[in-house]
Amino acid sequence: MIDYDGRVATSVDPRPGYDQPSQQLADWSALFAQLVDRMARLKALAPRGTAVLGELDRARLIASDPELAALDRAIAARAEDIAARARFARRLGVALPLELLRERFALAPIDVALLGALATIERGTAFNPYTVGHNEPLQTDVAFLIALLAGADAPPGEIRLRFSADAPLIAHGLVELSSAVGWAVEPPLVYKRVRIAERVLDFIEGATEPPPSVLGAAGHFVGEPLAATDVLLPDTAKDLVAQVARALGRADQLIELRGIPGVGRKSVLGAAARQLGRTLIVADLGEIAVDAQALDAALRPLVREAMLQDAVLVLDRADEYGDGEGQQWIHQRLVERLRRVRGAFAVVVEHSPPWLPRAGRVVMSFDVPFPTAEVQRRLWVRHLPPGLRLAADTSLDTVVRRYAATGAAIRDACEELGRLDLVHQRGGVASEQHIVGVVRSRLAHRLAALATPVTTTLDWSDVILPDEVLAPVFELLNYAAHSRQVFGEWGFDRKLPYGRGLSALFAGPPGTGKTMICSLLAKELGLELYRIDLSQVINKYIGETEKNLARVFDEAARGQVMLLFDEADSLFSKRTDVKSSHDRYANLEVNYLLQRMEAHDGVVVMTTNAETAIDPAFRRRIRFRVRFPAPDEAQRLALWQGMMPKEAQVAPDLDLRAIAQRYPLAGGNIMNALVRAATAARADGTPIQQHHLQRAAELEYAEMGFLA
């Protein structure tokens, strides 16, 4: 039995503060032994059958037993001594885990006492005097903790409330409740088992960095963010890191960083957090299923970890979560979880999510711009693998002009270059062809779900079109080649703040070469051509078409992509008088397209067979309009001759002029007819003869709706 006279309090280390967290834990272990002994003595003195010991009865029992009264005074003295030494340690700069928990989670003194008691129990017999010599473990339920800690400063009812769902210990996941064995139904709260969360116990014992098991698939810990000087940004955004740091310094702020993926949004946040001496906990919402339980299971430990670390909680891809049809209900659950976060946190998005204003915070929005050509060049220099040299004829400036890329895309491309066997076989020398090939392969566009790539093996020598068609086509090429210098170096960007993109409308009958010219333009400009699949873009649900179009234009702006809206009259049709809700929303889609077309700086080509069906507002905003007429007889003959491969076996008496004169086919139909004739000739085992061509041309002409 411990002697509980006044000497016990003086036996505590008299130094003014704790030098190590382990000293405080040792004191808590000693205090816990006294608390358990007091609880046992009170139970022995209480009348038989007493279920709840009231505060007056408790005070009367303590006063009636001198030894118990001495023990009660010793407990109060030790508790005050622990608190005093913790305060001194804080002034000396010693970080005590229990004190950090109190500050970061806004815990009451009784919460800290509960954590101290639970940590002592979990740490085992080596540090728990009560369990030494006992064969059975403690049955740590709420009732036990109430009996252990109840006193004048902490009535039983108050301790019970510390385990309610909204109390800090439970809401933040610092302690966990579970049902005791033997209950067929959910037991009352006082009979629920209590354990300190394993991660919180690890933190108390000094494990500051979170393990992967806590972060899960959706979490990422950034312990050493980039310094502000290492974040490469355009001159127009040179103060961005400092601005974000000032916003993070306010606890009531929600920081929104907008920009396309890869431009360095999280790097800016990391540099800002570093200026404040903080780290990052990144939660990738794109890795979490749109399900209430999945969201809670993934986000709850990450929110707790951010508060444990005093880190900045960052929600990545926050605008994509719950963005599908019928998924918006999950936003309320997300907002409820985020409202429990103490301190500023941030979201990383392309577009502001609709739930943001409901998060209960002051929203501060910042835009992270796409890297300029100079920044891109510096990023290439930074990320090129050590030992990798560029070929003598390779210029990074040429690469940047040909293919604009984000910092993340450049980093990934450089990593891929470091793994290319072909480069290493050449002694670690990379050519421009290597770099461009890797960039194209690494920058996978999300357009794949809404568009299909278009390539061509043809060149300009295969084009058979009149001069009045080719003239605006070559003017279009000149615009694309020199627009950067005209707008940037010659100052026209100040005079024309929007609508600087290259837009063209190719109108004419089917098969007249519209798509072929698009392919050649993309090939000449070094762009990837994507034909937009209107069946995937247009959606019957309100707002979904605009969302799909936003993806199309965003992805086109992100990479070197030329957009082709084939049969554009079905999407860019004339607006109508509003006679129904359908008309109103159809007009909204057209208006949205107008806005995106004016804001888009890339290349967009639309083809149509019915130019008059397109909305006049579109036609006014289109920079180049090219009309593709049906070919005349001379052009048809040239097409028949030019499309016949040199390797094809043909009869010596083949009369292409007669076919061209008789059948007014367009280029696409002529190509189809040649393939038909060649297939028929191969089946007959002969060269292509006149009757093969005659029959193929008749079929093509009939499919156009005409009789030969």
Side-chain angles (χ1 to χ4, degrees), residues 552-604:
V552 166
F553 282 102
D554 289 345
E555 293 300 325
R558 183 172 305 169
Q560 293 292 80
V561 172
M562 174 176 167
L563 296 177
L564 169 59
F565 287 90
D566 211 358
E567 299 181 3
D569 46 285
S570 62
L571 184 60
F572 298 79
S573 57
K574 293 180 180 179
R575 284 169 287 188
T576 61
D577 294 334
V578 177
K579 298 179 180 178
S580 67
S581 60
H582 174 78
D583 295 334
R584 179 167 61 254
Y585 289 113
N587 289 344
L588 286 175
E589 293 173 2
V590 176
N591 293 335
Y592 181 79
L593 274 168
L594 283 170
Q595 296 170 11
R596 292 309 302 258
M597 285 282 292
E598 289 188 334
H600 185 60
D601 287 339
V603 183
V604 179

Side-chain angles (χ1 to χ4, degrees), residues 433-512:
Q433 183 180 2
H434 287 134
I435 296 176
V436 172
V438 167
V439 170
R440 286 178 179 266
S441 65
R442 295 294 302 178
L443 291 180
H445 302 294
R446 287 185 296 175
L447 282 171
L450 301 171
T452 54
V454 179
T455 58
T456 183
T457 58
L458 302 176
D459 55 39
W460 291 104
S461 63
D462 296 305
V463 177
I464 301 173
L465 287 170
D467 291 343
E468 60 266 22
V469 175
L470 290 176
V473 169
F474 290 130
E475 185 184 358
L476 186 153
L477 279 174
N478 285 334
Y479 182 95
H482 303 293
S483 60
R484 179 174 297 182
Q485 289 77 14
V486 168
F487 286 110
E489 299 174 9
W490 287 17
F492 276 86
D493 54 345
R494 297 191 303 273
K495 302 296 184 180
L496 190 65
Y498 60 89
R500 301 195 296 261
L502 196 162
S503 57
L505 175 66
F506 291 174
T512 51

Side-chain angles (χ1 to χ4, degrees), residues 96-98 100-101 104 198-208 305 308-309:
L96 301 175
L98 283 173
L100 293 177
L101 289 171
R104 294 172 181 176
E198 185 175 349
R199 171 62 188 134
V200 177
L201 181 62
D202 292 342
F203 180 83
I204 290 174
E205 293 188 328
T208 55
E305 192 62 39
L308 277 176
Q309 303 281 343

Side-chain angles (χ1 to χ4, degrees), residues 95-140:
L96 301 175
L98 283 173
E99 293 305 302
L100 293 177
L101 289 171
R102 179 182 62 80
E103 295 172 4
R104 294 172 181 176
F105 292 89
L107 301 180
I110 187 59
D111 293 322
V112 178
L114 287 165
L115 288 176
L118 290 168
T120 302
I121 295 170
E122 289 288 336
R123 296 175 80 222
T125 57
F127 298 93
N128 183 356
Y130 176 74
T131 59
V132 176
H134 291 71
N135 295 325
E136 296 182 0
L138 290 174
Q139 298 298 312
T140 314

Side-chain angles (χ1 to χ4, degrees), residues 616-631:
F618 274 113
R619 293 204 299 269
R620 288 196 302 270
R621 286 166 171 80
I622 292 171
R623 191 170 297 278
F624 297 95
R625 290 193 291 274
V626 184
R627 292 177 176 84
F628 288 70

Side-chain angles (χ1 to χ4, degrees), residues 97-400:
L98 283 173
E99 293 305 302
L100 293 177
L101 289 171
R102 179 182 62 80
E103 295 172 4
R104 294 172 181 176
F105 292 89
L107 301 180
I110 187 59
D111 293 322
V112 178
L114 287 165
L115 288 176
L118 290 168
T120 302
I121 295 170
E122 289 288 336
R123 296 175 80 222
T125 57
F127 298 93
N128 183 356
Y130 176 74
T131 59
V132 176
H134 291 71
N135 295 325
E136 296 182 0
L138 290 174
Q139 298 298 312
T140 314
D141 53 20
V142 175
F144 169 82
L145 293 170
I146 291 174
L148 182 74
L149 296 171
D153 297 331
E158 180 181 340
I159 298 176
R160 181 186 178 280
L161 289 175
R162 309 317 294 177
F163 296 100
S164 63
D166 294 326
L169 293 178
I170 303 300
H172 297 306
L174 301 180
V175 301
E176 299 165 350
L177 299 177
S178 61
S179 298
V181 178
W183 287 87
V185 295
E186 186 74 7
L189 178 60
V190 292
Y191 294 119
K192 286 189 175 182
R193 301 291 298 274
V194 185
R195 285 193 63 180
I196 188 170
E198 185 175 349
R199 171 62 188 134
V200 177
L201 181 62
D202 292 342
F203 180 83
I204 290 174
E205 293 188 328
T208 55
E209 186 167 326
S213 59
V214 170
L215 298 175
H220 178 58
F221 174 63
V222 184
E224 296 183 5
L226 287 176
T229 53
D230 293 328
V231 179
L232 299 181
L233 294 168
D235 291 340
T236 55
K238 60 183 179 181
D239 296 328
L240 183 59
V241 171
Q243 294 172 12
V244 174
R246 286 194 293 271
L248 285 176
R250 295 187 56 181
D252 61 340
Q253 300 280 17
L254 194 167
I255 314 302
E256 179 190 42
L257 258 72
R258 294 185 301 235
I260 68 173
V263 294
R265 298 164 299 177
K266 291 190 287 293
S267 295
V268 170
L269 276 171
R274 178 168 175 159
Q275 289 188 356
L276 302 175
R278 302 172 70 182
T279 56
L280 297 184
I281 295 290
V282 180
D284 186 355
L285 294 184
E287 295 292 329
I288 303 175
V290 182
D291 175 81
Q293 291 184 344
L295 178 64
D296 286 343
L299 204 54
R300 183 174 181 174
L302 295 178
V303 170
R304 180 186 65 195
E305 192 62 39
M307 295 172 69
L308 277 176
Q309 303 281 343
D310 192 27
V312 177
L313 177 67
V314 181
L315 302 184
D316 196 7
R317 295 196 282 179
D319 51 341
E320 299 178 22
Y321 191 65
D323 195 37
E325 296 175 11
Q327 295 180 343
Q328 287 73 22
W329 62 269
I330 197 68
H331 293 161
Q332 184 59 37
R333 194 64 173 256
L334 176 62
V335 166
E336 290 173 359
R337 175 57 60 186
L338 295 177
R339 283 179 175 173
R340 295 176 178 175
V341 178
R342 298 187 73 247
F345 68 93
V347 296
V348 172
V349 296
E350 287 188 69
H351 311 286
S352 296
W355 53 264
L356 208 60
R358 292 155 37 202
R361 297 292 188 97
V362 177
V363 180
M364 291 288 292
S365 298
F366 302 92
D367 291 309
V368 181
F370 195 91
T372 60
E374 174 58 27
V375 170
Q376 290 178 57
R377 187 185 185 283
R378 293 168 62 189
L379 287 166
W380 279 105
V381 172
R382 170 184 289 184
H383 293 298
L384 279 172
L388 184 68
R389 295 178 293 110
L390 299 180
D393 59 347
T394 300
S395 168
L396 288 178
D397 291 329
T398 303
V399 173
V400 169

